[in-house]
Amino acid sequence: MEIIGLPAFRDNYIWVLLKGRDAVVVDPGDAAPVFHFLTQRGLSLAAILLTHHHADHTGGVAALVLGRSVPVYGPAAEAIAEVTVPLREGDRVELTALDVVLQVIEVPGHTRGHIAYYGANTLLCGDTLFACGCGRLFEGSAKQLWHSLSKLAALPADTEAYCAHEYTQANIAFALAVEPDNMALQARASQVNALRAQLKPTVPSTLGEEQATNPFLRCGEPAVLAAAEKHSGAALDDELAVFTALRSWKNDF
């Protein structure tokens, strides 16, 4: 299976999973780049996967399915009109055209019903986990998002994480404010700056890379705890409290 990222809007990625002449599209907020890519490659749209209801992830679905019999998978806990196969924790998505089975993981926090898809060493995580960051809390709680990120972080370290936005440079700037002495993070910053200077994507990353550099997955590290306590001006009793403080700090960074 091949995975191609189609740039959309200012910083979105629409991921396309490919095998042969079949394509599965993830979070198509805009139909135009998808139509162009499918036509250019002579591909057939086999399915659409949605992670959550925000318009920059769903806005192109209606046009893509018009006049076509295409299954649309999405979270059962969110109201998305075009979804034909609602999904919950533990469900499996069998993409027979690609010979791939994906496991559904409920990851509320960014939105109440956000889901991720995991399989074939690939994590499609929408706006929950970003490269060196995490999503904002629009509908859920910090506790929910912390639990969701912990579930994703428990997946194998070599898993490739495909988030939906090119936020990596800004996320690394914040991460360096939290952990300026993290050598792995310093090296990642150099790599990312070089990629963006050439207008190349910084996604996917691996979960192992995130564990080593993403402050939101490193809330148990002494340096992260110290930075969060210094910024918040309060003692923080556990990793959830550290995460909550980091998320609040990032909101205003």
Side-chain angles (χ1 to χ4, degrees):
M1 179 178 69
E2 182 183 6
I3 304 179
I4 300 290
L6 307 181
F9 307 119
R10 186 169 63 90
D11 51 35
N12 281 67
Y13 288 124
I14 300 171
W15 298 110
V16 184
L17 317 182
L18 301 171
K19 186 173 183 180
R21 292 297 177 185
D22 292 303
V24 173
V25 178
V26 184
D27 285 350
D30 185 1
V34 178
F35 278 132
H36 177 75
F37 182 76
L38 296 177
T39 301
Q40 185 183 50
R41 292 283 193 99
L43 300 171
S44 174
L45 182 60
I48 294 173
L49 306 178
L50 303 178
T51 62
H52 65 292
H53 67 83
H54 285 163
D56 63 320
H57 294 251
T58 64
V61 177
L64 288 170
V65 301
L66 185 64
R68 296 175 175 84
S69 179
V70 176
V72 180
Y73 299 87
E78 297 192 355
I80 305 173
E82 293 83 10
V83 168
T84 59
V85 187
L87 301 168
R88 296 191 180 277
E89 176 82 20
D91 285 344
R92 289 158 52 91
V93 176
E94 297 188 11
L95 301 174
T96 54
L98 307 186
D99 195 26
V100 168
V101 177
L102 300 177
Q103 174 188 348
V104 176
I105 307 171
E106 291 184 350
V107 285
H110 180 68
T111 64
R112 289 188 182 89
H114 201 303
I115 61 174
Y117 301 86
Y118 169 69
N121 202 48
T122 298
L123 174 66
L124 303 165
C125 46
D127 286 358
T128 296
L129 173 68
F130 289 128
C132 216
C134 72
R136 285 180 175 266
L137 294 166
F138 284 123
E139 298 172 8
S141 67
K143 184 176 182 179
Q144 284 180 312
L145 186 54
W146 167 244
H147 180 64
S148 296
L149 290 170
S150 298
K151 289 164 71 173
L152 299 184
L155 296 171
D158 63 347
T159 300
E160 294 189 328
Y162 290 82
C163 64
H165 290 273
E166 184 57 68
Y167 289 164
T168 315
Q169 274 187 311
N171 288 342
I172 285 179
F174 173 72
L176 284 168
V178 177
E179 278 194 287
D181 298 325
N182 183 328
M183 294 183 67
L185 179 58
Q186 293 170 9
R188 187 176 188 183
S190 296
Q191 294 165 358
V192 164
N193 288 339
L195 287 170
R196 294 311 294 158
Q198 301 175 65
L199 300 180
K200 292 182 178 180
T202 64
V203 182
S205 59
T206 66
L207 290 183
E209 189 175 19
E210 297 307 321
Q211 291 278 20
T213 59
N214 188 329
F216 296 103
L217 302 187
R218 296 173 55 79
C219 295
E221 295 295 322
V224 176
L225 168 63
E229 287 187 331
K230 181 178 180 180
H231 184 267
S232 64
L236 301 172
D237 296 333
D238 56 25
E239 291 187 21
L240 172 58
V242 174
F243 174 78
T244 304
L246 288 177
R247 185 59 265 180
S248 177
W249 182 3
K250 179 64 164 66
N251 290 345
D252 300 319
F253 185 77

